[in-house]
Amino acid sequence: MMVDPAVGTRSGQAGAYDRGTQLDVWVKGPDGKPHVGIVWPGATVFPDWFHPSANAFWAEEFKRFFDPKDGFDIDGVWIDMNEPASFCYPPCNLDPEAVVDIAEVMLTLDNIPRLEDVESESESEELNLNRPPYAIQNALPRLSDRTVPVDAVHHNGLLEYDTHNLYGSMMSIATREAMLARKPGLRPFIITRSTFAGIGSKTGKWLGDNISNWDQYRFSIAGMLGFASIYQVPMVGSDVCGFYGNATESLCARWAMLGAFSPFYRNHNDIASIPQEFYRWPAVARAAKAAVAIRYRLLDYLYTAFHKAHLDGTPVVQPLFFAYPEDSATFGIEHQFLFGDGVMVSPALDESNEVEIYLPDDIYYEFTTRRILYGPGAKMWVRQVELDEIPLLIRGGTIIPMREESAMTTKELRKKDFELVVAPGSDWAAKGSLYLDDGVSLEQASTLEVSYAFDATELTVKAAGRYNVNGVKYSKISILGISERPLDVKIALASGKPIAVRRVDWDAQNEVVNVDVAISLSTSFTLRLEFAEADADGESAGGHAHDEL
């Protein structure tokens, strides 16, 4: 459900307005009266989040409107227009009972008053807040255009000019509290448009109203990386296929693939644009099906990345220089990124079906074939990338737990078994982890944390926790980069008791050992590859030249 901060003031729609007025929780104008702007209800007022009663007011309104008995029962909320946005140009001196034709307002919204036509209400000998000495490159002439005016006053005496960037974050906090009051103990899901750095512990974010073009498609990657890895807002993504304008089949197909590797994944557009649901075009439907299948298989891997972000701030998605800080060539790369710490995403960037990517000096594996690649520390071309494909590489040195197949819902996905993908690095070692819980509770009754470590020939799996995995097991363990068939594969519990191996297959072409097993996800064990002979470093399975990308 979408909720905006603006509250309608006219009789007949003003229950929330009356209650808020009694508590005196509205942002005030310089005259001390509530500032009245224009948003979708017409004449509106705006909650003042600095007021000590504002959050309680907001929680009570949520309780009323989203009452499961006679209202809308929700698990998540999308808060919008919370910069806060207003369709009123200064001077905005509306009466609360003013009748506003919102359709007419929207038709004339682009009739922007010229700067010289409007005198600033905050004109003084000291400072003109609308035209301060240090001004941002605002797209509109005045800082007060289409928002609460900069000379509006908050409860504590602070001006909107000094607090504007905090409004969306403070609304996010109030909304989280309101959602928790409705369903104590359950994680609220909140997506907001306006944020400030560090608010990611309270809310997720979408990148706002973008445009259906290739520039905005490319910009969405930098926006996602900025918020997830710098501003500490890990749940972030763009409006896939664009919001304004009309998407093309090729653009939407590429964006459907790219968006699947953002933490927040949503297709959404303006009512005036052509419909762009993924099923509208054959190529887009194929692309979305392929991308969603991969995303769902990796959801537990992504969830584990979110758990790490919660614990220590490790970004859920990362620019390449986070993983390769010693490689200065990665510093300016803004279109390739790591999904988690182990999957490199290199999307197509335009109408062509060729992708130029940079591969640092490292070992990688193709996501689909699992074939090993040696990065040369240089740019390379990937040819013939179809609309339902996106170049994905597994970074050497990582171990990725993924579901053996996708599902239609996350509930069904939780019943699927796991494949464990071991991707040795240049030292033929790898590590990874898995975190599971019930997915909905703030405080967990039980969890499962699994650590994985591989060293040349031996995989060690250590599971800790009491979370009930409900029969889910490892059905397959794939060890990549193995250039010869092992003589034997032995699996044992920590006690040394052997575990049966169902089947061992060596893919000679792609150099992958696939081991079929049936081991509970909550079991600790070791797996050992045995070869005819090994060199001093135990590396008989690798070391020869491999094809490049």
Side-chain angles (χ1 to χ4, degrees):
M1 178 67 73
M2 178 190 287
V3 176
D4 295 350
V7 175
T9 60
R10 287 183 57 205
S11 299
Q13 63 176 28
Y17 170 64
D18 292 339
R19 291 185 289 272
T21 299
Q22 288 178 349
L23 295 171
D24 194 30
V25 296
W26 310 124
V27 175
K28 303 292 198 305
D31 59 1
K33 298 178 181 179
H35 167 71
V36 181
I38 299 175
V39 193
W40 303 117
T44 57
V45 289
F46 301 84
D48 178 2
W49 307 115
F50 286 98
H51 194 288
S53 298
N55 286 23
F57 158 76
W58 197 244
E60 178 62 24
E61 295 306 313
F62 263 62
K63 181 180 177 181
R64 287 172 176 268
F65 193 79
F66 298 119
D67 186 342
K69 295 180 181 179
D70 57 11
F72 298 93
D73 189 14
I74 59 172
D75 294 311
V77 61
W78 164 16
I79 52 179
D80 192 13
M81 304 284 286
N82 58 339
E83 291 75 23
S86 174
F87 302 134
C88 193
Y89 291 104
C92 195
N93 299 316
L94 274 75
D95 184 273
E97 285 294 323
V99 177
V100 177
D101 185 343
I102 194 66
E104 179 65 22
V105 169
M106 298 309 295
L107 288 173
T108 60
L109 191 61
D110 290 334
N111 297 340
I112 303 167
R114 294 179 301 173
L115 192 60
E116 58 268 24
D117 290 344
V118 180
E119 292 297 324
S120 169
E121 296 179 18
S122 60
E123 196 79 58
S124 70
E125 294 181 0
E126 295 183 2
L127 179 65
N128 177 349
L129 295 180
N130 266 306
R131 286 178 277 174
Y134 175 75
I136 62 172
Q137 288 186 322
N138 204 38
L140 297 169
R142 289 157 295 273
L143 294 180
S144 295
D145 287 342
R146 297 192 195 172
T147 187
V148 168
V150 291
D151 56 1
V153 184
H154 290 277
H155 177 78
N156 54 5
L158 289 173
L159 295 176
E160 176 67 9
Y161 177 84
D162 296 310
T163 63
H164 180 79
N165 288 352
L166 299 177
Y167 194 92
S169 288
M170 295 182 76
M171 181 187 177
S172 299
I173 294 170
T175 303
R176 179 180 173 83
E177 291 177 2
M179 293 292 286
L180 285 172
R182 293 181 63 256
K183 296 186 177 182
L186 296 182
R187 296 178 194 161
F189 182 73
I190 303 167
I191 294 295
T192 180
R193 187 166 84 181
S194 179
T195 50
F196 195 70
I199 196 61
S201 65
K202 307 296 184 184
T203 184
K205 176 184 175 62
W206 100 99
L207 295 172
D209 298 343
N210 55 5
I211 302 171
S212 297
N213 63 39
W214 287 100
D215 282 343
Q216 298 277 306
Y217 165 90
R218 292 186 289 269
F219 293 160
S220 73
I221 303 172
M224 172 187 70
L225 292 176
F227 275 91
S229 60
I230 303 297
Y231 312 138
Q232 287 295 293
V233 184
M235 178 61 83
V236 61
S238 68
D239 279 344
V240 168
C241 299
F243 181 74
Y244 291 119
N246 295 325
T248 63
E249 183 173 14
S250 59
L251 173 64
C252 200
R254 293 297 190 201
W255 217 327
M257 299 294 294
L258 170 62
F261 298 95
S262 60
F264 178 59
Y265 183 31
R266 179 185 71 168
N267 179 352
H268 168 63
N269 74 330
D270 179 47
I271 192 171
S273 302
I274 63 171
Q276 62 183 34
E277 292 89 352
F278 288 154
Y279 59 78
R280 295 279 178 172
W281 297 281
V284 178
R286 291 193 302 271
K289 286 180 180 179
V292 170
I294 296 172
R295 179 182 176 88
Y296 265 52
R297 291 188 66 196
L298 290 171
L299 273 186
D300 301 275
Y301 163 81
L302 177 61
Y303 195 71
T304 301
F306 271 107
H307 180 62
K308 293 177 183 176
H310 167 71
L311 293 177
D312 60 17
T314 299
V316 173
V317 288
Q318 307 173 15
L320 294 193
F321 70 81
F322 271 44
Y324 301 100
E326 74 289 345
D327 186 349
S328 61
T330 64
F331 297 172
I333 293 175
E334 57 183 356
H335 297 135
Q336 290 176 252
F337 59 95
L338 293 174
F339 182 68
D341 62 0
V343 178
M344 182 187 290
V345 184
S346 304
L349 300 178
D350 51 36
E351 292 278 4
S352 74
N353 62 357
E354 298 182 335
V355 183
E356 185 182 46
I357 69 173
Y358 177 79
L359 282 187
D361 183 8
D362 203 351
I363 287 180
Y364 306 90
Y365 302 85
E366 290 183 346
F367 188 87
T368 52
T369 67
R370 313 285 171 80
R371 182 172 65 98
I372 192 170
L373 303 167
Y374 285 100
K379 292 182 178 180
M380 308 176 69
W381 283 97
V382 184
R383 311 290 184 182
Q384 298 301 317
V385 180
E386 302 300 329
L387 287 177
D388 58 353
E389 297 175 339
I390 186 169
L392 300 175
L393 297 175
I394 299 173
R395 185 179 167 218
T398 61
I399 298 177
I400 298 180
M402 65 175 72
R403 300 285 177 166
E404 64 177 356
E405 60 182 358
S406 182
M408 293 298 292
T409 66
T410 55
K411 183 177 180 179
E412 289 301 310
L413 188 71
R414 281 178 172 264
K415 302 174 184 178
K416 303 294 184 181
D417 290 335
F418 274 80
E419 176 187 4
L420 197 59
V421 179
V422 181
S426 56
D427 57 356
W428 294 101
K431 62 181 180 179
S433 62
L434 174 66
Y435 171 82
L436 293 178
D437 60 25
D438 69 13
V440 296
S441 301
L442 278 174
E443 299 293 333
Q444 293 293 330
S446 59
T447 63
L448 180 68
E449 297 190 58
V450 188
S451 64
Y452 308 105
F454 181 76
D455 186 9
T457 58
E458 186 168 284
L459 170 67
T460 301
V461 178
K462 293 182 179 179
R466 297 180 295 105
Y467 177 73
N468 184 0
V469 299
N470 292 312
V472 174
K473 60 186 180 296
Y474 299 105
S475 62
K476 183 178 181 180
I477 300 172
S478 299
I479 305 175
L480 316 186
I482 304 300
S483 59
E484 67 178 70
R485 181 188 298 275
L487 289 179
D488 199 5
V489 176
K490 294 183 178 180
I491 306 177
L493 298 172
S495 64
K497 181 180 178 180
I499 298 176
V501 175
R502 291 188 165 185
R503 180 173 176 268
V504 177
D505 173 70
W506 177 58
D507 180 346
Q509 180 178 355
N510 294 308
E511 300 181 339
V512 179
V513 172
N514 297 304
V515 183
D516 293 344
V517 295
I519 304 173
S520 171
L521 212 60
S522 57
T523 298
S524 299
F525 64 93
T526 59
L527 178 151
R528 183 168 182 81
L529 303 176
E530 295 188 351
F531 297 93
E533 60 182 68
D535 60 25
D537 297 320
E539 296 181 358
S540 66
H544 62 265
H546 295 268
D547 293 336
E548 293 182 347
L549 194 62

